[in-house]
Amino acid sequence: MAVPKQSTFTYGLGNPLQTKITKPGQTLPTTKKVVPRAAVDSKEVKAVKDAAAATQIAFDASDKAVKDYLAGINTGGGGGGGGGGGDGGLTYDQQLALQKQQQDADKLLAESQKKVLALDTFRATLGLIFGKDEASKAYVSKLYDLTSGFYKSGSTVEEAMNLALYQAENDKVIPEFTTRFKGIFALRDAKQAGAALQVPTIAEFFATEAKMGEVLRTAGLGDLATETFLGDIIGRQKSVNEVASLISDVFNTIDYAPAELKTTLSTYFPGVDRVSLAKAILTGPEGAQALSQKIKGVSVISAGQQYGMAIDMPTAMDIANRGYGYGEALTGFKQVSSLSRAGDLARIENKTFTQQQAQDAIFKQDSANLGQIAGLKEREEARFASQTGAIKGSFSTQYLSKNSSAGQF
């Protein structure tokens, strides 16, 4: 229904009805000519106006008669307040009746101008945001009642739905609606507790869910792309970028790891299958960066295990932070393993050279340990050079040839 145009009719001007009803003996302001009210398309308003117009036609036959009547009241003529005006004027009671009719017309006009949210419009908007299936559910009518109130007060449909969501939670109504957006309430509570974050609107919540679902489906984890699981992730303050990093930097690294590394990783990231592993990673308290660093540390531990070396996590993290991934660490531990003879040579000289020193020499390029290795090399070569036979190996290759009479370093 079209909204009626604003009326230009001013009540109390051009007729006996003033802002203040006069009684005999009181003075009325000078009357002005009536300006007709613009037509409206509300049936109720039109009916009242027609009645008011009919009354005015009957009682206000001429402007002069009204003026004469009023003049008679003001000079004491024309009868008492309840008396009749035989010259066609309005009595005090008639003025009151006309005023009430005009006030009723004003009220109906104002009501007709209020914003009204049509139910079909609401369902259509809801369907665009939630989907057609959601918009057809039984709770939509209850939600419509809440939303309409905010819409009438000036909010857009989208704004009204967001306000209705919080109102429904506060009033503990429409649980099927509020449960759907528990992630929003979780973020709201975190923000109220002091967390620096932005609480999404319903539309933003749906957009985030859609993007996260796409990330999971691309990784072959479509089973997790459900509104319940994704809403839980959002409520844990995980953004789309964070989820993407958790999948690409953490989950995929584990998923595509060599068998030996995957075996080690499984002790730190338990999961009976891919979906369980991804679920644990996505819902865990650690973020993508922390988990990615953890995987790098575990990768170094696994590389050490391939050469029989037990490495603790702090040491492994230190090596990883120096740029050693799983492949690079394997090469490094192979070199450390070849330096085991250096410990034996050091003991011959009543000195020590430990595995940790060998690791520091290889992974940290520690000058003191590298110097000790060089000294052990020179002294061993000198000893062998003084003996009969040719040295066929070299310390620089980390070992002497197995065919050398000097044996293996």
Side-chain angles (χ1 to χ4, degrees), residues 79-155:
D87 55 1
L90 298 178
T91 65
Y92 178 72
D93 290 337
Q94 289 170 338
Q95 291 183 60
L96 288 178
L98 181 57
Q99 182 186 46
K100 185 178 184 309
Q101 289 176 330
Q102 292 169 336
Q103 288 173 341
D104 290 342
D106 280 340
K107 183 177 179 181
L108 289 173
L109 179 61
E111 288 295 329
S112 69
Q113 292 175 331
K114 287 184 178 180
K115 292 176 66 178
V116 177
L117 176 62
L119 180 58
D120 56 349
T121 301
F122 175 72
R123 286 186 182 276
T125 305
L126 198 67
L128 291 175
I129 300 176
F130 288 40
K132 293 182 179 179
D133 292 340
E134 195 78 15
S136 63
K137 291 184 178 179
Y139 75 81
V140 171
S141 296
K142 298 178 184 177
L143 179 60
Y144 169 77
D145 292 336
L146 286 179
T147 304
S148 295
F150 293 111
Y151 181 78
K152 288 180 180 179
S153 66
S155 300

Side-chain angles (χ1 to χ4, degrees), residues 38-332:
V40 294
D41 54 4
S42 168
K43 293 181 179 180
E44 294 82 0
V45 173
K46 186 176 183 305
V48 174
K49 284 183 59 183
D50 289 343
T55 302
Q56 188 162 343
I57 290 173
F59 292 143
D60 198 13
S62 70
D63 190 60
K64 182 177 181 303
V66 172
K67 289 180 179 179
D68 291 344
Y69 172 77
L70 295 176
I73 292 179
N74 292 332
T75 58
D87 55 1
L90 298 178
T91 65
Y92 178 72
D93 290 337
Q94 289 170 338
Q95 291 183 60
L96 288 178
L98 181 57
Q99 182 186 46
K100 185 178 184 309
Q101 289 176 330
Q102 292 169 336
Q103 288 173 341
D104 290 342
D106 280 340
K107 183 177 179 181
L108 289 173
L109 179 61
E111 288 295 329
S112 69
Q113 292 175 331
K114 287 184 178 180
K115 292 176 66 178
V116 177
L117 176 62
L119 180 58
D120 56 349
T121 301
F122 175 72
R123 286 186 182 276
T125 305
L126 198 67
L128 291 175
I129 300 176
F130 288 40
K132 293 182 179 179
D133 292 340
E134 195 78 15
S136 63
K137 291 184 178 179
Y139 75 81
V140 171
S141 296
K142 298 178 184 177
L143 179 60
Y144 169 77
D145 292 336
L146 286 179
T147 304
S148 295
F150 293 111
Y151 181 78
K152 288 180 180 179
S153 66
S155 300
T156 64
V157 177
E158 291 80 4
E159 291 170 342
M161 277 195 284
N162 285 300
L163 293 170
L165 174 63
Y166 291 106
Q167 185 67 44
E169 184 213 20
N170 183 70
D171 296 345
K172 293 180 172 48
V173 296
I174 322 179
E176 55 269 55
F177 177 60
T178 55
T179 300
R180 176 69 179 83
F181 301 102
K182 63 180 182 180
I184 291 180
F185 298 126
L187 292 176
R188 186 272 316 273
D189 295 341
K191 184 176 181 65
Q192 291 178 345
L197 53 83
Q198 181 177 352
V199 180
T201 63
I202 292 177
E204 291 168 342
F205 183 87
F206 273 106
T208 300
E209 272 191 348
K211 292 177 181 177
M212 285 185 178
E214 183 178 353
V215 170
L216 294 179
R217 284 186 289 272
T218 301
L221 297 169
D223 290 344
L224 293 179
T226 64
E227 62 182 38
T228 301
F229 182 71
L230 294 176
D232 181 51
I233 293 178
I234 294 173
R236 293 173 186 269
Q237 303 178 35
K238 301 286 177 70
S239 66
V240 174
N241 290 338
E242 179 77 1
V243 169
S245 295
L246 285 169
I247 293 299
S248 62
D249 299 341
V250 181
F251 174 78
N252 286 343
T253 299
I254 298 174
D255 198 35
Y256 299 126
E260 298 82 3
L261 174 56
K262 186 174 290 187
T263 298
T264 307
L265 286 169
S266 65
T267 64
Y268 292 86
F269 299 90
V272 296
D273 52 38
R274 296 178 73 251
V275 173
S276 298
L277 175 62
K279 189 172 183 179
I281 291 172
L282 292 170
T283 59
E286 296 175 289
Q289 184 175 1
L291 288 175
S292 180
Q293 285 296 107
K294 185 177 180 180
I295 286 180
K296 291 177 180 178
V298 175
S299 297
V300 172
I301 291 175
S302 181
Q305 289 175 347
Q306 309 310 310
Y307 289 93
M309 300 179 195
I311 310 298
D312 59 28
M313 181 60 81
T315 301
M317 291 296 294
D318 180 65
I319 293 174
N321 289 334
R322 294 175 185 276
Y324 289 87
Y326 179 67
E328 296 84 359
L330 278 174
T331 301

